[in-house]
Amino acid sequence: MTRPKKSLGQNFLIDRNVAKKIVRTLELKRSDRVVEVGPGKGALTSFLLEELDALTAIEIDDVLSASLREKIGPNLKVIHRDVLEVDLPALAGELGGKVRIVGNIPYNITSPILFWIIDSSQHVDDCTLMMQREVAERLVAKPRTKEYGILSIFAQYYARPEFRFTVPAGAFQPPPEVVSAVISLDFRQRHSPPASDDSFFRLLVRSVFGQRRKTLRNGLRGMGIPAERLGQIPGDFNRRPEELTVSEFVALADRLASVASDLPLTLRGNRS
Ligand code: SAM
């Protein structure tokens, strides 16, 4: 067996009880269309397949994907690719509808994987992922905490996140330097009502949190919305971004869109 590759975040789960506990939280039906991200040596894969008719797994490592194909029967389809290059809507289409995603993912690409899922969330029922505990805590963080930020807002806007349980480093080989946690995001329960313009909502959240110490007024100016425009809509623009709930961000995005749609808006940092 080759050595674990740090660059691919290869910390393999060796605690079978943790693997079983993750699979139990999924409450699988045999016909569920499940996609596993980063199956590695198959710690979760074999338990998943005990409860499923079929499973699709995406693994970038050539040695591991070949050995999974050999080790596990024909009801496992292994896609040997970088998960971020997989067209998720197309995969869901091939599988016949919305998918469920599960994975003990490589921690170095947690955010890109989350956005890979969020960006196609209309094709996903839910995802259950093991990640660094700090990141899991950010996904469920409430306003006015230091963990609350872009990831919290997007997770709570596109889904209902649920922190499941923590997993100690000793459950892995080699052990990671951090404590881990399992979290689920249920995309069937996204925030309601949605923003009238999703991309404007995202630009707003990213821009003001890019300058989280600034007031909304200053953050919005940085995004290209001058203070005079703010006079046309209700709101306290002396607040800081971490004080606003997801609902307040949605309402703010809708109001701003009505007075700023003619402006060339940019993410702070792209603008001089
Ligand atoms: N699920 C296994 C387990 O629990 O033991 C392995 C977990 S390990 C933390 C992450 C896995 O993701 C490794 O097998 C690694 O090769 C794979 N991986 C890393 N980057 C990837 C990528 N961009 N696309 C797909 N798989 C990736």
Side-chain angles (χ1 to χ4, degrees):
M1 219 358 128
T2 52
R3 287 160 148 267
K5 300 183 184 88
K6 207 171 173 189
S7 62
L8 295 181
Q10 291 183 347
N11 300 96
F12 299 108
L13 187 61
I14 50 167
D15 187 328
R16 292 164 61 85
N17 288 327
V18 173
K20 286 186 197 163
K21 195 169 168 186
I22 294 172
V23 174
R24 267 202 312 275
T25 64
L26 295 173
E27 299 184 32
L28 293 168
K29 291 200 298 290
R30 294 209 70 84
S31 58
D32 280 349
R33 291 175 285 268
V34 178
V35 175
E36 184 184 358
V37 175
K41 296 178 185 175
L44 291 175
T45 320
S46 46
F47 292 120
L48 287 166
L49 271 170
E50 283 177 10
E51 299 195 18
L52 290 168
D53 290 337
L55 174 65
T56 302
I58 307 170
E59 172 59 61
I60 199 171
D61 186 303
D62 38 3
V63 177
L64 293 177
S65 13
S67 89
L68 272 174
R69 276 193 188 118
E70 225 171 81
K71 206 163 67 181
I72 302 187
N75 44 0
L76 174 70
K77 179 185 172 197
V78 181
I79 301 176
H80 173 211
R81 268 187 96 177
D82 178 345
V83 63
L84 302 175
E85 287 174 5
V86 172
D87 181 337
L88 185 49
L91 176 59
E94 273 165 40
L95 294 175
K98 285 189 178 193
V99 294
R100 305 187 66 190
I101 297 176
V102 59
N104 168 16
I105 58 176
Y107 296 172
N108 53 343
I109 53 168
T110 301
S111 284
I113 290 177
L114 281 170
F115 282 102
W116 175 73
I117 299 171
I118 283 174
D119 287 343
S120 298
S121 59
Q122 68 273 35
H123 301 281
V124 182
D125 274 333
D126 64 352
C127 69
T128 296
L129 304 173
M130 172 110 72
M131 58 184 67
Q132 187 175 339
R133 181 177 62 186
E134 278 73 14
V135 182
E137 282 168 347
R138 278 158 57 193
L139 297 183
V140 293
K142 298 282 170 242
R144 296 173 186 274
T145 61
K146 70 173 185 339
E147 291 79 20
Y148 188 66
I150 295 173
L151 274 183
S152 330
I153 295 187
F154 287 162
Q156 295 165 35
Y157 174 68
Y158 286 102
R160 194 174 66 82
E162 189 177 342
F163 190 103
R164 300 292 192 158
F165 51 89
T166 55
V167 181
F172 303 88
Q173 186 54 249
E177 280 152 21
V178 293
V179 173
S180 302
V182 174
I183 190 156
S184 303
L185 300 178
D186 187 344
F187 294 99
R188 292 160 300 190
Q189 299 191 53
R190 63 175 280 177
H191 185 273
S192 176
S196 52
D197 179 345
D198 241 38
S199 55
F200 186 86
F201 171 80
R202 287 170 75 138
L203 177 68
L204 168 69
V205 172
R206 284 186 186 281
S207 298
V208 296
F209 272 102
Q211 319 161 70
R212 69 180 286 149
R213 289 174 183 285
K214 292 196 175 171
T215 60
L216 283 175
R217 184 183 317 282
N218 287 337
L220 292 169
R221 190 185 306 130
M223 180 184 162
I225 306 179
E228 313 80 87
R229 295 283 175 111
L230 304 183
Q232 301 172 20
I233 55 172
D236 175 1
F237 298 100
N238 293 321
R239 296 168 80 192
R240 289 178 203 285
E242 69 262 27
E243 295 173 30
L244 271 69
T245 62
V246 176
S247 300
E248 287 177 311
F249 265 111
V250 170
L252 178 62
D254 286 355
R255 286 192 198 123
L256 284 171
S258 70
V259 294
S261 55
D262 58 320
L263 298 171
L265 302 176
T266 50
L267 250 186
R268 173 70 186 178
N270 302 339
R271 197 184 168 81
S272 53

